Amino acid sequence: MKYKLLLLICCMSMALNAQQVTFKWNQLQNNMTQGLINPVIVLPSSEGFFTYSFENGGNPMLPNYLFISNFSSDANLIATQKFQLPKRNQREASLLNVFESSDNKHLYLISELAMNKDNSNLLYLQDFDAATQKLSDAVEIQKLAIDKLSNSGSFSIAQSADKSKLAVLLHFPQEKDGKEKVRTIVFDGLMNKLWEKEHTLNYPSEKGYKNERFFVTNNGVAVMTKIIDEFKKEPQIIVFKATESDLTEKVVSALEFYPTEYKITEDASHNVYLAGYYTDNWKPTISLGGRKEKGVFVFNVSNGGLLSKNMWTERLHQDYSGNFIGLKLLDLYVNNGDFFLIGDVQNVNEEMDKTPGSFITNYTYKTGPAVVAKVTSKGELMSAVYKYQEANYQNRMGKLTSFYPIKKDKKVFLIANDSEAILKGKKVVVGGEVYWKAVTYSSFNDDGSITVNPIYDSGTGGKQGVTWLSPSTTRQADANSYYVYALGNSYHSFGKMTIK
């Protein structure tokens, strides 16, 4: 009797925790339709969503266009508009970023154009209003005086996780034997300037700053990391924290501890943290296969101290079948003192098209396996390897790689594609079945394990399917709904995923 009662309680618990995932797709469309060749879902709401697609002419002599399309809540295409970026003397600006406003009613297009003719480098802002569906004229956010294009300074732009802040980091052009000069500008979520400050750093001025990363917090704190002596055996990795009143810096790295991939997050008390992966050997030999991520770390930027450093466990290495190389941090957040780090191995190879007269670069994407990790408030590591069938995809089909993390009911879930045959335990797979995919909705559990839940009726990837789910294109519409995108060799479609 006691056994039956325990079994009943267990079944009831499973039923309560089970989530039903359903998909509803719109009609198939030709995936080479102008305006929707590289769609990115933006401004999602219960009323519908927009996409933008930046499409170049394929030739330096042809113009590039930015297309913005409007979709209903049922993922029906309503209209598509075509826009151009700012021009000066017939030269077109380069698109740097597209951001959503904090009220989810505007798209901010940020572009850059440096020209020798007027000795200036301009950063432009254009505002697309979702209500009127009109794009504003370009406004100059910042202007840099330059001597030549090879020394035109640079701009970095970052948006906070809650979209309430947007920041610009401006590097002034190099001064021979001079120090690095920067300007930090922080805006609110509707592009109203909050503060602006210039600083001279105690480091030599350079022409390019590829060894830096820039972030901004929900509370409007600008954070920059810089690598000093990058090509030496033991470089320094420094974090800068800028506010309207001051600028502080702190060395993060130490002997045999070098952060390699990281993001920022902040807790409810606005303490800022840098967290991600680290290595113990910054400059490994080629024979060792590259720089290896040894574990995860959490650094408190607010007080300048290392909160935790955890090496991967032997069990994780066994599950991973080797060393961790090339992990990219997809998502980072803190909840009640626990830090969640969701990462995936992502490799991109590029090769110029050898066709005569072609200006195209071909990209090949390969991802997986992934790692989901939680660093508890006590500094303990709980982690699991997330495996899915790895595959090589080219160019636009790269959207089919990797997975999308979903935070729901205080847990982490992972939406991805996987081999239907492998999921069903088949040993021999022949014919078209090799390409059949099933969507999986996997959960990262409280004990650090991962439970895989296949969805064979998703409407993609199966025997009759001509499209596969594009996990990274997923965007949340409301508490239980997500707008989704599926892409195939010839067709694509938009739809809605509901989780209850």
Side-chain angles (χ1 to χ4, degrees):
M1 183 64 182
K2 184 181 291 186
Y3 170 77
K4 290 182 178 180
L5 180 59
L6 288 173
L7 182 62
L8 177 62
I9 292 173
C10 181
C11 291
M12 288 177 63
S13 175
M14 291 177 63
L16 288 172
N17 290 320
Q19 294 183 333
Q20 184 181 11
V21 182
T22 58
F23 292 83
K24 183 179 181 181
W25 296 98
N26 210 316
Q27 69 275 7
L28 291 172
Q29 298 174 317
N30 185 321
N31 64 25
M32 292 303 292
T33 301
Q34 189 182 48
L36 289 171
I37 294 178
N38 302 299
V40 178
I41 295 176
V42 289
L43 303 180
S45 71
S46 56
E47 286 76 38
F49 62 94
F50 290 82
T51 64
Y52 74 85
S53 177
F54 186 71
E55 301 174 14
N56 60 54
N59 184 311
M61 304 302 293
L62 297 176
N64 304 317
Y65 292 103
L66 183 83
F67 296 87
I68 298 180
S69 301
N70 185 16
F71 289 79
S72 70
S73 60
D74 293 325
N76 284 307
L77 175 61
I78 298 172
T80 297
Q81 296 188 75
K82 180 170 66 175
F83 303 102
Q84 279 192 281
L85 297 177
K87 284 187 175 182
R88 289 158 58 202
N89 298 321
Q90 303 305 310
R91 281 194 58 199
E92 184 178 309
S94 299
L95 183 66
L96 295 182
N97 301 91
V98 178
F99 292 110
E100 297 162 301
S101 64
S102 56
D103 64 0
N104 207 44
K105 295 179 180 178
H106 298 263
L107 278 184
Y108 298 130
L109 281 56
I110 299 179
S111 56
E112 175 187 12
L113 179 56
M115 292 192 67
N116 267 338
K117 192 168 185 178
D118 54 10
N119 300 319
S120 64
N121 186 4
L122 291 178
L123 189 68
Y124 292 106
L125 168 70
Q126 291 169 282
D127 179 358
F128 176 79
D129 188 322
T132 63
Q133 297 190 30
K134 292 182 179 180
L135 184 67
S136 72
D137 293 333
V139 175
E140 295 179 10
I141 303 178
Q142 286 290 305
K143 183 176 183 177
L144 271 174
I146 65 172
D147 293 323
K148 49 188 177 181
L149 288 178
S150 61
N151 187 22
S152 59
S154 64
F155 301 104
S156 297
I157 301 96
Q159 189 176 43
S160 63
D162 67 355
K163 302 179 187 176
S164 68
K165 305 294 185 298
L166 191 141
V168 175
L169 177 69
L170 182 155
H171 275 290
F172 288 91
Q174 181 188 31
E175 293 182 7
K176 187 176 181 180
D177 300 324
K179 297 295 184 181
E180 180 179 347
K181 294 181 180 179
V182 298
R183 178 185 296 153
T184 306
I185 312 104
V186 175
F187 302 86
D188 68 13
L190 299 177
M191 292 305 294
N192 300 304
K193 187 186 293 185
L194 297 176
W195 60 269
E196 179 176 347
K197 196 83 171 179
E198 287 189 12
H199 296 279
T200 298
L201 308 181
N202 193 29
Y203 301 97
S205 177
E206 300 177 14
K207 286 187 177 180
Y209 295 93
K210 295 181 180 179
N211 60 350
E212 294 180 357
R213 302 184 199 181
F214 184 56
F215 312 92
V216 64
T217 72
N218 298 338
N219 205 34
V221 176
V223 177
M224 178 180 73
T225 60
K226 174 188 283 290
I227 303 174
I228 307 299
D229 297 330
E230 182 176 11
F231 300 105
K232 295 185 179 180
K233 185 178 180 180
E234 298 174 5
Q236 281 192 330
I237 300 173
I238 300 169
V239 59
F240 297 82
K241 183 181 68 172
T243 65
E244 186 175 9
S245 57
D246 63 1
L247 175 75
T248 60
E249 64 177 275
K250 178 72 175 180
V251 177
V252 180
S253 58
L255 185 64
E256 297 185 349
F257 171 66
Y258 305 102
T260 55
E261 173 72 9
Y262 43 81
K263 293 180 182 291
I264 63 165
T265 187
E266 57 187 320
D267 61 20
S269 300
H270 299 300
N271 293 304
V272 182
Y273 300 91
L274 197 73
Y277 312 123
Y278 72 92
T279 185
D280 63 350
N281 183 6
W282 181 258
K283 202 173 183 181
T285 60
I286 296 176
S287 62
L288 293 177
R291 189 177 294 158
K292 300 175 178 63
E293 284 78 32
K294 290 292 184 176
V296 301
F297 76 95
V298 179
F299 183 89
N300 190 326
V301 177
S302 296
N303 65 24
L306 186 65
L307 187 67
S308 68
K309 182 179 71 169
N310 294 275
M311 293 189 68
W312 303 124
T313 63
E314 285 302 318
R315 173 62 185 272
L316 205 68
H317 275 287
Q318 293 173 7
D319 291 344
Y320 202 79
S321 302
N323 293 307
F324 297 84
I325 301 175
L327 268 177
K328 300 297 181 184
L329 188 60
L330 305 184
D331 199 8
L332 164 71
Y333 68 97
V334 58
N335 182 29
N336 293 327
D338 296 333
F339 294 84
F340 292 83
L341 301 92
I342 304 164
D344 198 13
V345 169
Q346 296 189 343
N347 295 310
V348 183
N349 295 319
E350 56 181 281
E351 184 179 359
M352 289 293 296
D353 193 319
K354 298 178 182 179
T355 305
S358 174
F359 297 92
I360 297 174
T361 300
N362 290 314
Y363 298 89
T364 301
Y365 299 85
K366 184 177 182 180
T367 64
V371 176
V372 183
K374 179 173 76 171
V375 177
T376 70
S377 56
K378 296 180 180 179
E380 300 169 342
L381 173 65
M382 298 176 64
S383 54
V385 172
Y386 175 52
K387 292 186 178 181
Y388 54 92
Q389 187 186 39
E390 301 172 40
N392 290 332
Y393 294 95
Q394 266 204 342
N395 300 330
R396 291 189 307 128
M397 301 302 282
K399 289 177 177 286
L400 303 178
T401 62
S402 200
F403 58 92
Y404 181 78
I406 291 175
K407 299 184 281 284
K408 188 173 177 62
D409 300 334
K410 298 182 180 180
K411 294 184 66 174
V412 177
F413 297 88
L414 314 168
I415 285 283
N417 294 306
D418 208 341
S419 164
E420 184 171 324
I422 291 176
L423 290 168
K424 291 182 176 179
K426 294 188 177 182
K427 302 297 183 182
V428 180
V429 185
V430 295
E433 195 174 359
V434 172
Y435 306 100
W436 296 358
K437 300 279 187 182
V439 173
T440 56
Y441 182 69
S442 306
S443 62
F444 178 63
N445 305 316
D446 293 337
D447 62 358
S449 63
I450 289 179
T451 302
V452 177
N453 175 34
I455 305 169
Y456 296 115
D457 58 352
S458 69
T460 65
K463 182 185 293 188
Q464 306 302 325
V466 291
T467 60
W468 295 266
L469 178 71
S470 168
S472 61
T473 313
T474 305
R475 290 297 306 273
Q476 187 167 7
D478 53 41
N480 297 312
S481 300
Y482 297 76
Y483 294 117
V484 286
Y485 174 68
L487 175 65
N489 293 321
S490 301
Y491 301 97
H492 66 179
S493 67
F494 294 87
K496 181 179 281 189
M497 175 179 69
T498 303
I499 304 174
K500 292 184 178 180

